[in-house]
Amino acid sequence: MFGYYLDLALRSLRRNKALTALMVLAIALGIGASMTTLTVLHVLSGDPLPERSSTLYYPQVDPRDSAGHDSDKEPMEQVSWTDGMNLLQAKRADRQALMTGGTVAIQPTQSALDPFYEDARFATADFFPMFGVPFQYGHGWSAADDDSSARLVVISSKLNDKLFGGKDSTGQMLRLEGTALRIVGVLGDWRPNPHFYDLNVTNYAESEGVYMPLSTSQDLQLAHDGSVDCWGNGGAGPRPDHSATCVWLQFWVQLDSPAQAAVYKEFLVHYSQEQKALGRFQRPPNVRLRNLMGWLDYQMVVPGDVRLQVWLAFGFLLVCLVNTVGLMLAKFMRRAGELGVRRALGASRRALFAQLLVEAGVIGLSGGIGGLLLAFLGLWLVRQQPASYAALAHLDPGMLLTTFLLALGASLLAGLLPAWRACQITPALQLKSN
């Protein structure tokens, strides 16, 4: 019967091409607008490390003085050098990484390339295994390299392509800021979004091109590039003093179970109490331990205008559906004579209802194809914007399927009332009028 209903639907749609085109266009516009904004929201609010996010945590302590103390206030979002090193050396987590960002000047050995600046990440050894960073060539460095401030570096595949034509460059020397460092690894394809491990740079930044031990960056006095928050007599600058009362480092830990997370949070409380007893902290213990997704929610990394656009787009889809309901109602009621004859010949109301819903479904699928094309156009326009997240606006297979399901569901929903009204036609009145 479905094939028969489909044939009737196609015949009906071809009889009034202008009305059919209006209904398909209404569905397409609503689906295109809603799927464009929904895809952007889906990309921006996704889990950057789906297999690891539940075990990654961002500890926070509050080392500030008592000025302006408020017990309900959140602790600081970064850590000082002293606290970062204390927490790192305590080794209370399965893995832990202390880091910050910077920009370094690279002097290529190739004569065809001019010196240029590259974003850098200064981190401790667990950065790579903790975040599951893939390697194309080589490997990261060890804790012993951290301790010895080893002159080595890991570079991104993009930088490796630029400097070495994509070949295995491990063992080669990279000269930056006037110092030669040995390349020990080249990253594979890795660009987690959002840029969760350091949101002070930008929420959706590209991954850095250069990675080196944090201790090495301090020995070479490389400039820090990020947020610095000081209190008391602390002074900010491109190279914060290790003893300054300033926070400027990010600290992440890996805790493989909720029980370990609870124990670690208790450790943070005891650490704060200990530092208060030593006179470093002046406030009562104020700690937080959010997992990766909790940290992103707290930081509200998804731009507010993106969420607003989604609501506006779905409001527009609702308007399109209301118009489609009106058009379908007009179309179905104009076929009252035909439907009355079918009822008189023995077709049940259920059969007529199914026939009209199949017709609505065909309109929805056609609108879905049009909406998909409009969504591709909308996402292309998003990628032309100067926003940091613009390059991420792509339709993945899951959202592609969602587009057709939404179009089909919307059209069937829009067809319910018109189909029901059309099924209430009294056959005798239609036969008499004919």
Side-chain angles (χ1 to χ4, degrees):
M1 289 299 291
F2 178 78
Y4 175 61
Y5 292 156
L6 181 61
D7 181 61
L8 290 178
L10 294 176
R11 289 172 182 269
S12 172
L13 294 175
R14 283 197 295 266
R15 277 201 300 267
N16 197 328
K17 296 179 181 178
L19 192 58
T20 299
L22 284 175
M23 290 188 288
V24 170
L25 181 61
I27 294 288
L29 288 174
I31 295 297
S34 57
M35 289 311 301
T36 297
T37 56
L38 188 62
T39 298
V40 173
L41 179 64
H42 168 71
V43 169
L44 300 190
S45 59
D47 187 340
L49 298 178
E51 298 178 357
R52 297 172 179 267
S53 60
S54 62
T55 64
L56 297 177
Y57 291 83
Y58 192 80
Q60 293 172 263
V61 295
D62 200 344
R64 287 173 291 189
D65 55 31
S66 57
H69 171 59
D70 183 350
S71 58
D72 295 328
K73 199 170 185 179
E74 284 280 335
M76 308 202 80
E77 295 181 358
Q78 300 183 97
V79 296
S80 65
W81 176 269
T82 301
D83 292 321
M85 295 306 294
N86 287 344
L87 296 173
L88 186 71
Q89 292 166 5
K91 297 181 179 179
R92 294 298 188 95
D94 298 298
R95 287 194 177 106
Q96 52 215 345
L98 184 65
M99 69 192 78
T100 191
T103 304
V104 295
I106 295 180
Q107 296 94 28
T109 57
Q110 299 89 334
S111 58
L113 293 176
D114 294 328
F116 59 92
Y117 286 95
E118 187 73 26
D119 290 336
R121 175 69 23 189
F122 313 135
T124 53
D126 277 351
F127 177 90
F128 302 105
M130 187 166 73
F131 296 148
V133 182
F135 278 84
Q136 184 177 3
Y137 304 114
H139 49 75
W141 58 83
S142 66
D145 294 323
D146 281 330
D147 295 338
S148 63
S149 302
R151 298 300 193 260
L152 49 81
V153 68
V154 169
I155 63 175
S156 67
S157 58
K158 184 177 179 180
L159 182 59
N160 186 61
D161 291 341
K162 182 175 183 177
L163 295 178
F164 302 100
K167 298 178 181 178
D168 184 355
S169 59
T170 55
Q172 300 287 331
M173 303 303 291
L174 178 68
R175 191 169 185 82
L176 56 85
E177 300 286 347
T179 302
L181 292 90
R182 179 170 55 90
I183 299 173
V184 296
V186 177
L187 299 188
D189 183 20
W190 193 66
R191 185 188 174 182
N193 280 292
H195 191 266
F196 69 94
Y197 51 86
D198 185 359
L199 297 173
N200 298 285
V201 181
T202 180
N203 291 349
Y204 298 94
E206 288 194 27
S207 299
E208 297 83 356
V210 172
Y211 301 79
M212 71 170 65
L214 177 63
S215 56
T216 304
S217 74
Q218 299 303 292
D219 273 5
L220 298 178
Q221 297 186 349
L222 299 180
H224 156 269
D225 182 14
S227 173
V228 180
D229 193 357
C230 300
W231 65 96
N233 295 322
R239 299 180 182 86
D241 189 271
H242 291 176
S243 61
T245 53
C246 300
V247 294
W248 53 285
L249 296 154
Q250 302 83 49
F251 184 62
W252 285 88
V253 297
Q254 178 181 323
L255 303 165
D256 291 335
S257 70
Q260 286 178 284
V263 171
Y264 195 87
K265 187 171 184 179
E266 190 63 28
F267 159 68
L268 293 176
V269 173
H270 291 319
Y271 173 78
S272 299
Q273 292 171 337
E274 178 186 73
Q275 295 302 307
K276 190 173 188 299
L278 293 173
R280 283 194 63 243
F281 289 10
Q282 296 184 24
R283 302 185 179 194
N286 183 19
V287 305
R288 299 289 189 278
L289 186 64
R290 296 179 171 94
N291 63 17
L292 191 156
M293 295 306 293
W295 177 244
L296 295 181
D297 288 341
Y298 168 68
Q299 290 289 319
M300 296 183 292
V301 298
V302 179
D305 61 335
V306 172
R307 296 186 186 276
L308 177 61
Q309 289 166 10
V310 171
W311 285 109
L312 291 176
F314 274 90
F316 178 64
L317 174 61
L318 181 60
V319 171
C320 291
L321 289 181
V322 171
N323 281 279
T324 304
V325 168
L327 292 171
M328 281 190 184
L329 188 58
K331 180 177 177 59
F332 291 168
M333 296 308 292
R334 287 175 62 181
R335 293 166 57 196
E338 172 196 334
L339 298 174
V341 170
R342 285 207 65 210
R343 285 278 286 121
L345 292 175
S348 66
R349 287 182 176 178
R350 179 178 297 181
L352 290 184
F353 189 75
Q355 173 193 337
L356 297 176
L357 279 188
V358 169
E359 188 170 331
V362 172
I363 293 171
L365 288 177
S366 303
I369 295 172
L372 181 63
L373 296 176
L374 291 175
F376 278 125
L377 175 61
L379 292 172
W380 179 81
L381 292 174
V382 171
R383 290 195 294 274
Q384 310 313 306
Q385 302 302 310
S388 60
Y389 59 81
L392 305 174
H394 290 277
L395 203 66
D396 59 30
M399 298 306 292
L400 184 65
L401 177 61
T402 303
T403 300
F404 283 105
L405 291 178
L406 182 61
L408 183 59
S411 61
L412 291 177
L413 183 64
L416 287 176
L417 177 62
W420 179 81
R421 286 288 303 277
C423 290
Q424 306 309 307
I425 295 171
T426 304
L429 292 177
Q430 297 303 319
L431 291 174
K432 183 178 179 180
S433 63
N434 290 334

